[in-house]
Amino acid sequence: MDLKQIPPLHTLRVQRIRATINRAHIFVHSLILLALLYYRASWLFFFLTSHSHSWTLTLTWFLLLTSELSLSFIWLLGSAYRWRPVSRAAFPERLSDDHQLPVIDVFICTADPEKEPPLHVVNTVLSAMALDYPAEKLWVYLSDDGGAAITLYAMREAFSFAKVWLPFCRKYGVRTTCPNAYFSEEDGQIRSAEFLNEREKMKSMYEAFKEQVEKAEEMGLIGDNLNKKAKQDAASLIEVIGQKGLEDHDKMPHLVYVRREKRPTHPHNFKAGALNVLLRVSGLLSNGSYILVLDCDMYSNDPTSAKAAMCFHLDPTLSPTLAFVQFSQIFHNISPNDIYGCQLRDVFKIWWYGCDGLNGPILSGSGFYMKREALYGIAPGMDLPKDLIQSRQWFGSSNELLKTLRPDYKCNAENGVQSNGLLQEAHFLASCNYETGTKWGKQVGFFYDSVVEDIMTGIRLHCRGWNSVYYNPPRPQFLGSAPINLNDVLVQYKRWSSGLLEIAFSRYSPLPYGIMSGHSILHTMCLSYSASMPFYCVFGLCYATVPQLCLLNGISLYPKVSDPWFAIFLAVFISGSCQHLFEVLHTGGSFRMWWNEQRIWMVKSISANFFGCLDIATRMIGVKRVDFGLTNKVIEKDQVDRYSNEEFDFQGASLILVPVVTSSMLNMVALNGGVWRVIAEGNYSELMVQLSLTLFIIICSYPIIEGIVIRKDAARVPPLITFLSIICTMVLLSLGFIVLAM
């Protein structure tokens, strides 16, 4: 296929009006911040040179100046996202010949059948198998770190169901190819009586398949050859499912189950380790040029995504340096106003458009088509090591794997499926000792330096010279499920914060690493902002405690209302709030969603980010290792009801809530004490900013206060959390009175 003679496979449009508005706001907001910092620094200099003020007041102003300077720097890094937003369109119908398309390997990972039910996992598998792509060029791999017999059984049954499900989807042009999602809603198109009859038959078959998977254990359908649940001491298992006996006209995508070897004495490196095993095993069996990575709960919602991604990967003007095509992550279970901020609106509707106008978005964990070559540790245009010794130092001792790295290598997929010798070699590649002494996880594959392996891998790919593309068509290509319980949300964000801080404190910290790599300044700022977000907790906690303790002691930290400098602080608040509100409304949100995002940002900053920092601090002194906590995908009906009613759900809340509950209590005490002091002393003008800040934090914290004081159901804040928060509040108040009285 001569790609130069066909119409463009994709187009790019710069959002010029958006870019102009963004740049104007960046300029104005920067001037306001400079004025604010000048005010704070000049007063601090006055305190330092004057001997008439106490050291505690000087320290307080120093803390505020440090916080405001740091927050301004982080804001400046984030402004790069808004410098040049672009949007793209792809035309998969212009790909002329299916026979010329490259092989695609799909990687799906699961780790715990209790938190990630096998039925949900195989629904994602079925949706991937139903991609609009030549069946002989599509391989679907499931990595099962849970190692449960029920998961393998569900995979075998899923392949049997796929024999009828895939032809049904192809015949009637079904776009929602996840069976559970398809049968949970009505088909919106006008269809024939034949279709309606076939649909009912298919629904009955799915219900039978569903029941068989859900009741497999009690029906005694699971064999004794596998453990019920994975142990940390388990051998590898690789099975190519169901290809034997298929005729040519029944061609199906290949389905491969992979359980890697795990031993207590060997680190397994979480999801990154599982992906690297799949990368090696798939290189041996299918060696797809491109890899689609999906979370086990993020199913394909549009079968055209594979060909849409190929519109970018097969463009000769982009392909030499294009590492991956990132699709948007959309969640099907988000409440109308997104009370927990789980849709990641700023990431997928603002930031990645801006990144795409520079060097491309950062890798986002799921829903991306990656070029295999980009994961092999080389920069664009460079050759892999040809020396055998060096190749083994990079990729390990498997000669069969090393053969797949040659440019002239031709993979015979059918021979690979039927070869016992090749499957034995695949088991060797999935062993826990294989990576010892190699560059896997360090320079080759997905990187092990952080539990957010996607961000780390994306940063290092970009700094090597690879680019990426963000594609967000009108119809969501992939749909996932978001946590709907506050504790699950905060635990997820704590893991992300820990991982981002691992990056920030590593040798690959984006700002110095990007600059030293010769990466573009604006894109380096984008990468650096992502790694800097957890630091919001330090300055958030400062703003949630220091002004409040000073308010109780009658110490003013801000200009009087009558002082012209008061307008600067007011302008900073209005400028930032208006920009956020404009972006929310422009991306289809509402005023209520804007307020919810303000509120949950404060909650996450003070709680999840704080514990993320604590995790890293304890790791740095050798106390513990950052853990990869799975998000629970099992949803209870009462949780769904509370989430639908947009009520905060504190059920199962852990110690992660203590900082935000403590902050709420402290601010309530400070507001009452501050109002009493203003009434008694009449110094309202001096303390207005601190009163307003305290009141704003209390309003943001209302769901927390409601969970403590008002609610009596099972989803209220647990008494232990309340008790510990009361103790923390009393300690802070005591320290505040003692220190500020000096």
Side-chain angles (χ1 to χ4, degrees):
M1 180 171 63
D2 188 357
L3 294 174
K4 295 182 179 179
Q5 296 180 1
I6 65 174
L9 297 175
H10 62 89
T11 57
L12 179 145
R13 181 179 66 86
V14 179
Q15 301 176 16
R16 299 189 183 279
I17 297 177
R18 249 328 256 291
T20 302
I21 294 173
N22 290 344
R23 293 176 187 183
H25 177 265
I26 291 169
F27 176 73
V28 172
H29 196 75
S30 298
L31 293 179
I32 300 172
L33 287 177
L34 287 173
L36 185 150
L37 294 172
Y38 171 78
Y39 169 84
R40 189 69 75 188
S42 60
W43 273 99
L44 179 62
F45 180 76
F46 172 73
F47 292 149
L48 290 172
T49 55
S50 172
H51 300 289
S52 59
H53 295 86
S54 66
W55 68 268
T56 54
L57 182 60
T58 304
L59 177 62
T60 302
W61 276 73
F62 175 76
L63 287 174
L64 288 179
L65 174 61
T66 304
S67 297
E68 289 160 355
L69 188 61
S70 302
L71 287 171
S72 299
F73 179 69
I74 294 175
W75 171 84
L76 182 63
L77 293 177
S79 65
Y81 283 119
R82 296 166 174 84
W83 191 255
R84 188 178 181 264
V86 301
S87 56
R88 297 180 185 268
F91 310 101
E93 67 278 1
R94 294 179 180 174
L95 292 169
S96 58
D97 190 352
D98 283 358
H99 294 292
Q100 299 296 323
L101 293 173
V103 175
I104 291 179
D105 296 331
V106 183
F107 293 174
I108 301 169
C109 296
T110 184
D112 187 339
E114 294 182 0
K115 291 186 175 181
E116 299 168 338
L119 186 65
H120 294 184
V121 175
V122 295
N123 265 275
T124 300
V125 168
L126 286 165
S127 72
M129 293 179 71
L131 286 170
D132 181 18
Y133 209 75
E136 68 277 9
K137 294 177 179 288
L138 187 64
W139 287 64
V140 180
Y141 294 81
L142 177 73
S143 170
D144 180 20
D145 269 4
I150 181 61
T151 305
L152 178 55
Y153 174 79
M155 285 281 284
R156 291 166 176 163
E157 292 301 310
F159 189 87
S160 298
F161 177 70
K163 293 177 184 178
V164 292
W165 172 244
L166 268 59
F168 172 79
C169 293
R170 292 166 184 158
K171 180 178 179 180
Y172 295 106
V174 174
R175 300 185 73 182
T176 304
T177 53
C178 171
N180 191 60
Y182 179 70
F183 293 119
S184 298
E185 58 188 28
E186 294 295 326
D187 191 292
Q189 302 181 45
I190 300 175
R191 299 282 198 170
S192 64
E194 177 193 5
F195 165 78
L196 296 175
N197 185 42
E198 288 291 321
R199 188 179 191 274
E200 285 304 310
K201 289 181 181 178
M202 190 58 58
K203 186 174 183 180
S204 298
M205 295 175 70
Y206 174 69
E207 292 298 328
F209 157 69
K210 178 180 176 181
E211 183 179 8
Q212 199 159 1
V213 171
E214 290 179 333
K215 297 183 178 181
E217 290 186 69
E218 58 187 81
M219 295 169 64
L221 297 175
I222 300 177
D224 297 329
N225 60 316
L226 292 174
N227 295 324
K228 180 180 177 182
K229 191 177 178 183
K231 298 178 180 178
Q232 290 300 312
D233 194 6
S236 62
L237 175 65
I238 299 173
E239 180 176 325
V240 181
I241 298 174
Q243 284 294 332
K244 292 183 180 179
L246 286 180
E247 302 293 337
D248 287 341
H249 62 273
D250 294 328
K251 279 187 176 179
M252 298 270 290
H254 294 80
L255 184 60
V256 184
Y257 173 90
V258 178
R259 184 182 73 200
R260 57 179 169 147
E261 181 186 17
K262 296 176 79 173
R263 303 297 179 194
T265 55
H266 290 75
H268 58 84
N269 295 306
F270 309 116
K271 183 180 176 182
L275 288 172
N276 282 340
V277 169
L278 291 182
L279 189 61
R280 295 194 293 271
V281 171
S282 66
L284 200 63
L285 299 182
S286 52
N287 202 36
S289 301
Y290 300 96
I291 297 161
L292 166 63
V293 176
L294 292 176
D295 285 342
C296 65
D297 63 332
M298 181 156 282
Y299 61 83
S300 171
N301 188 56
D302 190 336
T304 64
S305 70
K307 288 185 176 179
M310 291 306 106
C311 289
F312 301 101
H313 276 302
L314 298 182
D315 181 351
T317 63
L318 278 180
S319 184
T321 60
L322 181 60
F324 61 91
V325 177
Q326 177 69 60
F327 286 85
S328 178
Q329 292 183 19
I330 308 293
F331 304 98
H332 60 80
N333 61 334
I334 296 293
S335 66
N337 292 304
D338 191 16
I339 60 170
Y340 296 140
C342 289
Q343 68 169 323
L344 305 176
R345 181 202 56 80
D346 49 356
V347 176
F348 293 108
K349 294 187 178 181
I350 301 294
W351 297 358
W352 280 188
Y353 283 111
C355 263
D356 200 16
L358 303 173
N359 291 86
I362 307 172
L363 207 60
S364 302
S366 181
F368 60 86
Y369 286 83
M370 172 72 71
K371 181 183 291 182
R372 181 180 290 269
E373 178 189 350
L375 293 172
Y376 282 167
I378 57 173
M382 292 185 63
D383 294 328
L384 289 168
K386 296 179 181 179
D387 178 72
L388 181 60
I389 296 177
Q390 188 179 4
S391 295
R392 288 184 171 179
Q393 289 174 345
W394 279 39
F395 298 98
S397 58
S398 170
N399 290 327
E400 293 297 329
L401 179 63
L402 295 180
K403 288 179 185 177
T404 68
L405 305 177
R406 296 201 303 252
D408 59 344
Y409 177 77
K410 300 295 182 183
C411 180
N412 191 327
E414 297 307 320
N415 288 346
V417 170
Q418 298 170 9
S419 170
N420 290 328
L422 216 52
L423 284 177
Q424 277 188 337
E425 190 73 9
H427 280 83
F428 173 51
L429 294 173
S431 65
C432 58
N433 286 314
Y434 184 79
E435 295 181 353
T436 304
T438 70
K439 292 187 180 294
W440 284 99
K442 301 171 186 175
Q443 185 170 340
V444 176
F446 294 87
F447 295 100
Y448 296 158
D449 299 287
S450 171
V451 292
V452 286
E453 79 295 324
D454 51 345
I455 303 291
M456 173 61 89
T457 302
I459 288 173
R460 293 184 64 177
L461 287 176
H462 279 294
C463 290
R464 279 182 188 161
W466 293 98
N467 295 325
S468 58
V469 159
Y470 180 57
Y471 183 48
N472 185 23
R475 179 181 172 89
Q477 302 293 283
F478 304 98
L479 285 176
S481 59
I484 61 173
N485 171 283
L486 181 61
N487 189 69
D488 289 342
V489 171
L490 296 182
V491 168
Q492 182 183 64
Y493 270 80
K494 185 196 80 169
R495 184 179 78 238
W496 292 349
S497 296
S498 300
L500 291 172
L501 287 169
E502 285 179 310
I503 296 173
F505 289 111
S506 73
R507 59 182 292 196
Y508 303 108
S509 184
L511 193 57
Y513 182 61
I515 292 173
M516 289 188 295
S517 302
H519 199 52
S520 73
I521 295 298
L522 284 174
H523 199 255
T524 297
M525 290 169 64
C526 293
L527 303 179
S528 303
Y529 180 79
S530 298
S532 303
M533 287 190 295
F535 292 115
Y536 276 130
C537 80
V538 179
F539 316 118
L541 284 170
C542 179
Y543 263 95
T545 55
V546 173
Q548 289 72 16
L549 293 173
C550 289
L551 175 62
L552 284 171
N553 287 272
I555 300 173
S556 175
L557 300 176
Y558 297 91
K560 296 180 180 180
V561 177
S562 57
D563 191 328
W565 286 102
F566 172 79
I568 296 298
F569 286 85
L570 184 63
V572 169
F573 176 78
I574 292 175
S575 173
S577 298
C578 286
Q579 182 205 28
H580 183 203
L581 178 60
F582 168 75
E583 290 182 344
V584 171
L585 297 177
H586 187 268
T587 54
S590 62
F591 183 86
R592 181 66 180 273
M593 184 182 291
W594 167 78
W595 176 250
N596 287 343
E597 288 189 5
Q598 294 269 10
R599 181 174 63 191
I600 200 65
W601 178 86
M602 187 201 75
V603 172
K604 291 173 180 175
S605 295
I606 294 176
S607 56
N609 287 347
F610 172 75
F611 274 91
C613 290
L614 198 61
D615 269 353
I616 292 300
T618 54
R619 180 192 171 188
M620 291 176 72
I621 61 175
V623 176
K624 63 174 287 189
R625 173 72 169 91
V626 175
D627 191 18
F628 190 94
L630 284 175
T631 305
N632 193 353
K633 310 299 192 301
V634 180
I635 305 299
E636 299 176 2
K637 186 179 183 303
D638 57 341
Q639 287 184 349
V640 175
D641 293 339
R642 283 190 290 269
Y643 186 68
S644 300
N645 295 330
E646 301 200 335
E647 298 176 1
F648 269 50
D649 185 354
F650 302 99
Q651 196 166 13
S654 59
L655 294 178
I656 199 171
L657 269 180
V658 170
V660 71
V661 175
T662 301
S663 171
S664 302
M665 291 180 175
L666 176 64
N667 278 267
M668 289 175 66
V669 173
L671 182 65
N672 284 283
V675 169
W676 177 86
R677 182 176 288 277
V678 166
I679 294 173
E681 300 179 5
N683 55 351
Y684 173 77
S685 179
E686 294 180 2
L687 299 176
M688 179 185 174
V689 175
Q690 284 157 264
L691 280 170
S692 302
L693 175 63
T694 305
L695 180 61
F696 178 77
I697 292 176
I698 290 175
I699 295 173
C700 287
S701 304
Y702 176 76
I704 309 292
I705 298 168
E706 180 189 36
I708 300 170
V709 180
I710 301 175
R711 291 173 64 172
K712 305 298 180 184
D713 58 13
R716 67 175 302 183
V717 174
L720 177 61
I721 303 298
T722 304
F723 175 72
L724 291 174
S725 300
I726 291 173
I727 293 177
C728 292
T729 303
M730 294 175 66
V731 170
L732 284 173
L733 289 170
S734 301
L735 289 174
F737 282 121
I738 292 171
V739 172
L740 294 174
M742 291 181 178

